[in-house]
Amino acid sequence: MSATLLPLIGWTFLPNLVTGWIQSIYYGFSIRAGDPKPQPGSLKYVKHRRRILLIVIVSYLLYTIYEVDDQLRRQGNFYESLGVAHNAGDRAIKTGFRRLYLHHPSYTLEFFALTKIFRAARHHPDKVTAAGDQSTSGAYFVHLKLAQDTLLNPTKRFAYDRFGPDALDWQHCSSIGDYLFQALSKFGPTYLGAGIMMTILAITGYLQWGRFWRYLFSALLLLLEFYTITRPYWPPLLSNAINPAFTRLTSHPPLLPFQLLVLARKTTLSIFIALSQLAPLLQPKPSALPTSSSSGGIDLQQLNRIEQITQANELETTRLLGLDMAPFIGDEHGIDDLKTRLTGWLVQNTIRNDPEVRDAMGKVMGRRRLGAPAGARNLR
């Protein structure tokens, strides 16, 4: 239960929390000391937060997939315990068990099987004296015996490969058909409930953005699971593509069908949650008020944008004015002289250059002498 709830709790608060930290650190080294930082709610702040949150969500999605895969690798499987290949026959399985149980040094195994040999030799019941060590070694050899018995039984091996070790605890299953019926009765209600929930959310107007991708991933997951559990052979996607790529390009051990299904289920769930968090960032925001050129309607979003731009300009103007006035701080005489010069500049360049003022001055000068100034208008 905790392994299922922890990722959901992480999706609830981690993306916004990490985004706030990264944005603060980004402003710390990208903005010079003394320069104002973008205020919350401003266009630049919202733009930066949107981009950082998008990167954080995608990164956390990849991390959740890696975490599931790492958990599956640490759990291991019966094939790795016995040190045999996934297509090993009965003879190879028996030989692998004897090698681990009897610890014959004359056998040559692959590197991952050698670790099992050393562990088996260390926990062999005949070589252990302490009571606690005997119980540990006994549990380990019980595990090896269970692995051998499961893989030597074609029915149990079919069930183990597709449903995992939990299938060994299913009651009243003696044939492949019994295991399939048990699996359908176990996983069928889960898919049915998920489909009903998605339909209800779609009808009520929730989860509209990304609805196509949710349906697509759900259908692909259902098809993959049905194909995997009903075929006597492994899915070609796993045996011909994924496992060969792992073997050739990485040190990742090959996946079993049930491990592929676990990884696919949890990845699909993480994608659904990521889509719900990406929706506010990627979908266009509808206008609060309708715009119409004929009726003269005003878009509230545009008004908010204009107000934000105006506030940003005011802040920038105040900052620049403060930088220009910095040399005169504490100099009263200099400030008075600056005021006098600014007043003269305003009179000379603003008032006197006004067309109406120039026209009035031209009329007055025309009465005193012949020829009005070049800027005078309406003179006869």
Side-chain angles (χ1 to χ4, degrees):
M1 182 64 69
S2 60
T4 304
L5 291 179
L6 284 179
L8 298 179
I9 297 175
W11 276 112
T12 303
F13 68 92
L14 274 181
N16 289 321
L17 182 64
V18 175
T19 299
W21 291 345
I22 294 178
Q23 192 168 11
S24 300
I25 296 174
Y26 171 72
Y27 286 158
F29 71 82
S30 64
I31 298 179
R32 295 180 301 177
D35 292 346
K37 298 180 180 179
Q39 298 298 319
S42 62
L43 288 178
K44 183 179 290 187
Y45 183 91
V46 173
K47 180 181 178 181
H48 291 166
R49 183 171 183 84
R50 179 174 175 270
R51 291 180 177 178
I52 296 174
L53 183 58
L54 180 65
I55 296 174
V56 169
I57 291 175
V58 175
S59 301
Y60 190 64
L61 172 62
L62 297 177
Y63 170 74
T64 55
I65 298 174
Y66 167 78
E67 187 180 21
V68 173
D69 178 70
D70 182 67
Q71 184 179 3
L72 291 174
R73 293 179 61 180
R74 285 187 281 106
Q75 291 176 353
N77 56 70
F78 286 167
Y79 295 94
E80 293 181 0
S81 298
L82 296 176
V84 297
H86 294 170
N87 57 352
D90 294 350
R91 183 176 180 180
I93 294 172
K94 293 178 181 179
T95 303
F97 176 76
R98 293 194 188 97
R99 287 173 179 173
L100 293 174
Y101 189 80
L102 301 177
H103 182 37
H104 290 301
S106 58
Y107 289 95
T108 57
L109 299 176
E110 297 178 357
F111 175 78
F112 70 92
L114 289 175
T115 60
K116 301 297 182 181
I117 289 180
F118 296 146
R119 182 180 176 185
R122 188 168 59 251
H123 296 284
H124 196 286
D126 297 337
K127 298 182 181 181
V128 177
T129 57
D133 293 340
Q134 285 183 351
S135 61
T136 302
S137 62
Y140 177 68
F141 281 99
V142 168
H143 171 75
L144 293 180
K145 187 66 169 59
L146 177 62
Q148 177 190 234
D149 295 343
T150 301
L151 298 183
L152 289 178
N153 188 319
T155 302
K156 291 185 177 181
R157 184 172 183 176
F158 176 91
Y160 175 79
D161 287 348
R162 287 151 183 81
F163 310 121
D166 293 339
L168 303 179
D169 298 329
W170 294 352
Q171 302 295 327
H172 310 293
C173 293
S174 58
S175 64
I176 294 178
D178 294 337
Y179 281 106
L180 290 177
F181 178 79
Q182 186 75 11
L184 292 177
S185 62
K186 182 178 179 62
F187 299 110
T190 302
Y191 282 100
L192 182 61
I196 295 175
M197 181 61 65
M198 291 177 60
T199 304
I200 294 175
L201 293 176
I203 294 176
T204 54
Y206 293 95
L207 304 179
Q208 292 295 323
W209 189 89
R211 181 172 54 183
F212 168 78
W213 296 107
R214 289 187 179 89
Y215 288 144
L216 177 62
F217 282 117
S218 300
L220 291 177
L221 177 61
L222 181 60
L223 179 62
L224 175 63
E225 184 143 7
F226 182 79
Y227 183 88
T228 301
I229 67 176
T230 57
R231 293 296 183 271
Y233 46 83
W234 287 15
L237 175 65
L238 184 63
S239 58
N240 298 334
I242 298 178
N243 283 341
F246 282 159
T247 304
R248 296 174 185 175
L249 303 179
T250 67
S251 59
H252 193 291
L255 291 175
L256 295 179
F258 83 88
Q259 293 175 324
L260 175 65
L261 293 179
V262 171
L263 186 62
R265 292 191 203 109
K266 295 189 177 182
T267 299
T268 303
L269 178 61
S270 298
I271 290 176
F272 284 1
I273 300 175
L275 287 176
S276 64
Q277 301 222 0
L278 290 174
L281 303 177
L282 300 181
Q283 68 179 353
K285 297 181 180 179
S287 302
L289 293 177
T291 58
S292 175
S293 57
S294 59
S295 60
I298 300 177
D299 190 352
L300 182 60
Q301 184 179 1
Q302 294 180 355
L303 291 178
N304 293 333
R305 182 176 300 176
I306 293 174
E307 181 181 3
Q308 293 175 356
I309 294 175
T310 304
Q311 293 176 356
N313 289 335
E314 290 178 355
L315 292 175
E316 185 67 15
T317 302
T318 303
R319 185 182 71 86
L320 294 176
L321 183 60
L323 292 177
D324 292 336
M325 293 294 295
F328 300 96
I329 296 177
D331 188 2
E332 298 294 338
H333 178 72
I335 293 176
D336 294 338
D337 184 61
L338 178 63
K339 290 181 179 179
T340 303
R341 292 178 180 274
L342 286 175
T343 302
W345 181 85
L346 289 174
V347 172
Q348 181 68 28
N349 295 278
T350 303
I351 299 177
R352 290 186 178 181
N353 289 334
D354 187 86
E356 295 183 358
V357 175
R358 292 177 61 86
D359 187 50
M361 292 177 62
K363 290 181 180 180
V364 173
M365 297 298 295
R367 296 173 187 165
R368 296 183 179 182
R369 58 182 177 83
L370 297 175
R377 297 180 301 170
N378 301 325
L379 297 178
R380 296 180 180 176

